[in-house]
């Protein structure tokens, strides 16, 4: 079940982590790798993520779950964040992932 999140109010890393089901360490890791854009800081020094960051973390988690690597995602998001359209690259990678899974299933059936 997805929580309702304001689309305008920034959230602290602890709130984003809770909503996304990850740790704050994971968020810092994603930020270091530029999977998440660097979050601005509050006057007190806390990271303030835009509400859209929740969708980004969910996308990252979903992509990792189906076999995309952190390295692949870093390249895809870098291209996307520069205004590029990495659709063909994503499609090719997804086809590779599917072929790998299908091959594994065939091996298990033998």
């Amino acid at each position: 079940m997805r929580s309702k999140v304001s689309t305008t109010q920034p959230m602290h890393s602890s709130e984003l982590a809770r909503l996304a089901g990850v740790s704050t360490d994971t968020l810092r890791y994603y930020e270091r790798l530029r999977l998440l854009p660097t979050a601005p800081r509050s006057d007190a020094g806390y990271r303030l993520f835009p509400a859209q960051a929740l969708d980004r973390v969910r996308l990252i988690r979903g992509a990792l779950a189906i076999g995309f690597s952190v390295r692949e995602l870093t390249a895809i998001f870098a291209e996307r964040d520069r205004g590029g359209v990495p659709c063909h690259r994503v499609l090719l990678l997804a086809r590779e992932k599917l072929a790998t899974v299908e091959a594994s299933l065939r091996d298990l059936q033998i």
Side-chain angles (χ1 to χ4, degrees):
M1 181 175 178
R2 299 206 177 209
S3 300
K4 295 220 180 230
V5 178
S6 168
T7 57
T8 59
Q9 294 298 314
M11 65 185 107
H12 290 100
S13 57
S14 59
E15 177 71 358
L16 175 58
R18 183 184 67 74
L19 291 170
V22 300
S23 70
T24 54
D25 286 339
T26 298
L27 295 179
R28 283 190 293 275
Y29 176 67
Y30 290 167
E31 197 176 14
R32 250 190 337 271
L33 294 177
R34 296 193 183 356
L35 290 172
L36 278 177
T38 302
R41 301 281 183 145
S42 70
D43 291 340
Y46 294 105
R47 286 177 175 82
L48 293 174
F49 289 94
Q52 299 87 348
L54 179 58
D55 291 334
R56 187 71 166 279
V57 174
R58 287 177 173 158
L59 178 62
I60 292 165
R61 302 300 290 175
L64 291 172
I66 63 170
F68 281 83
S69 71
V70 170
R71 180 178 292 200
E72 290 166 336
L73 292 177
T74 299
I76 290 165
F77 287 137
E79 183 176 342
R80 175 84 174 140
D81 292 343
R82 287 190 307 268
V85 183
C87 300
H88 293 290
R89 176 187 222 165
V90 172
L91 182 60
L92 289 173
L93 288 169
R95 285 181 178 155
E96 289 175 14
K97 308 297 178 210
L98 179 59
T100 300
V101 169
E102 289 172 340
S104 296
L105 286 173
R106 280 192 302 277
D107 290 346
L108 290 172
Q109 291 174 348
I110 295 177

